């Protein structure tokens, strides 16, 4: 059994304690540290436990309720030995959510109750400003503080120019160039890694999330593949996991994301430049397409706003609208089916 610090060192506070007190007796608090298929690893005052979600949580999930995710605080019912049952999820402060990959129109919570999100982008051939825009937008929507980390600076011929380019899309977001090979820039991240705070590492496969985590921990907490020709480790994380650093900070490592689609929300925080320009448009419902008096199009024409950034905003807006429509339809069908089941059960009970 893992020896763990007191719950407060894992982020537990009086507000969550008050919420738990209003539930059934004999429930204990725990934080989800990892998820493995249908089971969870949780940290509690009793140490590390294995737990499964109660069946009614899956039942409620069909009509929109959440399922437990890494970082969640939950209420546990202890069973025999080290097995426990998760009966409730305590109110989330933040949640980093995406749509499941592919055509599945359901949500996937990548990390919950996160204070800050380290958004990693490698300064190599795979670098993309448009992808980084998407990460920043979803991070703002999560409620966590986004911080951009530009890794593989040792492979970039002009790091200052790369930082300037990123700052054009990372509105009000700190940008730090770091190198997992030399350690340059890593010490500056200490301000975000205070005791009891939780940070999630997010980025595409191979940007160096696990290698960075190993550097922050001062030991090899996460396995990386053989060192590549450029001197960096390849990301081999296969599941999300909460780890505690020597500083007392908590970090959620995640697998590399092949795609990151929106689940819900808006783009105001990530596209503050476009939102500010839109206030100057002649028409309040301006779509920034061909309308006369459009301040956004005028900014593109005179070079104050890049056309690619406007195109990215349009694309993400369409994606949000499409996902919202599919999700609403799925929930309507699920809720209609549920009411039919309830009505049928009621009729059966009423029969003599």
């Amino acid at each position: 059994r893992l020896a763990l610090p007191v719950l407060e060192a894992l982020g537990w506070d009086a507000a969550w304690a008050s919420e738990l007190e209003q539930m059934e007796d004999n429930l204990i608090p725990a934080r989800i540290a990892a998820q493995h298929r249908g089971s969870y690893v949780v940290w509690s005052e009793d140490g590390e436990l294995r737990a499964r979600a109660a069946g009614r949580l899956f039942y409620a999930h069909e009509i929109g309720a959440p399922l437990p995710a890494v970082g969640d605080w939950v209420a546990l019912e202890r069973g025999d030995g080290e097995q426990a049952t998760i009966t409730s999820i305590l109110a989330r402060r933040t949640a980093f959510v995406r749509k499941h990959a592919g055509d599945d129109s359901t949500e996937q919570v990548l990390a919950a109750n996160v204070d800050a999100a380290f958004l990693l982008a490698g300064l190599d051939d795979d670098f993309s400003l448009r992808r980084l825009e998407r990460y920043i937008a979803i991070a703002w929507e999560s409620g966590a503080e986004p911080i951009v980390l530009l890794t593989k600076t040792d492979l970039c011929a002009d790091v200052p120019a790369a930082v300037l380019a990123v700052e054009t899309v990372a509105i009000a977001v700190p940008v730090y160039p770091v190198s997992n090979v030399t350690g340059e820039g890593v010490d500056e991240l200490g301000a975000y890694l205070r005791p009891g705070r939780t940070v999630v590492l997010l980025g595409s496969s191979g940007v160096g999330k696990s290698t960075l985590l190993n550097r922050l921990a001062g030991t090899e907490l996460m396995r990386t593949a053989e060192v590549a020709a450029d001197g960096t480790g390849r990301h081999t994380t296969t599941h999300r996991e909460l780890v505690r650093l020597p500083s007392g900070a908590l970090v959620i490592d995640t697998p590399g994301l092949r795609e990151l689609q929106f689940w819900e929300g808006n783009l105001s925080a990530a596209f503050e430049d476009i939102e500010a320009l839109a206030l100057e448009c002649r028409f309040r419902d301006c779509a920034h397409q061909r309308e006369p008096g459009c301040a956004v199009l005028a900014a593109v024409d005179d070079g104050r706003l890049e056309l690619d950034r406007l195109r990215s905003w349009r694309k993400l807006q369409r994606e949000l609208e499409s996902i919202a429509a599919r999700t609403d339809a799925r929930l309507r069908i699920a809720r209609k089916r549920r009411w039919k089941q309830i009505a049928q059960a009621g009729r059966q009970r009423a029969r003599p």
Side-chain angles (χ1 to χ4, degrees):
R1 179 180 292 180
L2 180 67
L4 292 173
V6 295
L7 292 180
E8 285 73 14
L10 301 177
W12 183 251
D13 60 25
W16 272 313
S18 177
E19 184 180 352
L20 183 68
E21 287 175 359
Q22 299 174 40
M23 298 180 180
E24 302 172 19
D25 294 335
N26 301 320
L27 296 179
I28 64 172
R31 193 165 192 196
I32 295 181
Q35 180 177 2
H36 302 283
R37 297 187 182 275
S39 66
Y40 299 87
V41 175
V42 300
W43 291 348
S44 73
E45 288 182 333
D46 294 337
E48 182 176 289
L49 304 170
R50 287 279 179 173
R52 290 190 175 274
R56 59 186 171 82
L57 293 182
F58 293 99
Y59 189 76
H61 179 62
E62 290 184 10
I63 55 173
L67 284 176
V70 175
D72 267 327
W73 282 100
V74 297
L76 285 186
E77 188 177 78
R78 285 298 308 270
D80 296 332
E82 296 187 356
Q83 185 67 41
T85 301
I86 299 169
T87 64
S88 300
I89 303 169
L90 303 188
R92 287 172 177 160
R93 308 270 173 86
T94 63
F96 207 104
V97 185
R98 71 166 179 175
K99 187 183 83 66
H100 265 290
D103 297 328
D104 186 357
S105 60
T106 58
E107 71 173 1
Q108 180 184 32
V109 179
L110 300 175
N113 299 315
V114 169
D115 297 294
F118 283 178
L119 311 177
L120 279 70
L123 294 178
D124 53 11
D125 294 339
D126 191 44
F127 178 75
S128 167
L129 274 180
R130 303 284 79 86
R131 184 194 304 134
L132 190 54
E133 276 179 334
R134 180 180 292 267
Y135 275 80
I136 292 170
I138 294 180
W140 277 125
E141 184 60 27
S142 76
E145 178 186 6
I147 296 101
V148 172
L149 306 188
L150 300 179
T151 62
K152 304 186 180 182
T153 55
D154 46 291
L155 300 180
C156 181
D158 193 344
V159 174
V163 171
L164 286 174
V166 169
E167 287 177 342
T168 65
V169 303
I171 309 297
V173 176
V175 179
Y176 294 93
V178 299
S179 172
N180 286 331
V181 174
T182 66
E184 179 186 0
V186 175
D187 289 343
E188 296 181 45
L189 306 180
Y192 305 100
L193 299 169
R194 299 192 296 273
R197 282 175 55 86
T198 303
V199 173
V200 63
L201 305 182
L202 293 155
S204 302
S205 181
V207 295
K209 295 186 293 296
S210 291
T211 308
L212 174 62
L213 181 53
N214 289 340
R215 269 198 171 274
L216 294 173
T219 185
E220 189 167 351
L221 290 176
M222 296 294 169
R223 185 174 62 88
T224 56
E226 290 184 8
V227 175
D230 58 17
T232 60
R234 297 188 183 92
H235 196 147
T236 56
T237 300
T238 58
H239 61 278
R240 292 174 291 282
E241 183 173 351
L242 180 69
V243 299
R244 190 166 184 264
L245 300 182
S247 67
L250 300 147
V251 179
I252 298 177
D253 191 26
T254 64
L257 301 175
R258 294 185 180 88
E259 61 178 293
L260 187 62
Q261 294 191 43
F262 283 95
W263 173 245
E264 61 183 2
N266 62 69
L267 304 175
S268 298
F271 288 83
E272 283 187 356
D273 49 348
I274 294 179
E275 294 286 333
L277 288 167
L279 296 175
E280 302 173 13
C281 291
R282 181 185 302 176
F283 303 108
R284 183 172 297 178
D285 59 348
C286 184
H288 320 310
Q289 297 284 352
R290 297 182 180 85
E291 295 85 351
C294 176
V296 174
L297 294 179
V300 173
D301 289 340
D302 64 23
R304 287 178 292 140
L305 179 68
E306 290 188 6
L307 179 58
D308 281 348
R309 182 152 171 84
L310 177 57
R311 287 171 173 165
S312 178
W313 177 85
R314 289 171 177 164
K315 178 181 178 181
L316 297 179
Q317 287 282 19
R318 290 194 300 270
E319 185 177 313
L320 277 171
E321 292 167 2
S322 175
I323 290 171
R326 290 201 303 270
T327 301
D328 287 346
R330 180 185 64 82
L331 289 177
R332 281 197 304 271
I333 292 170
R335 287 164 182 164
K336 185 177 181 180
R337 183 172 60 246
R338 182 60 46 79
W339 280 114
K340 284 183 177 179
Q341 292 170 346
I342 293 171
Q344 184 178 14
R347 287 194 297 270
Q348 289 175 344
R349 286 195 297 269
R351 290 173 185 169

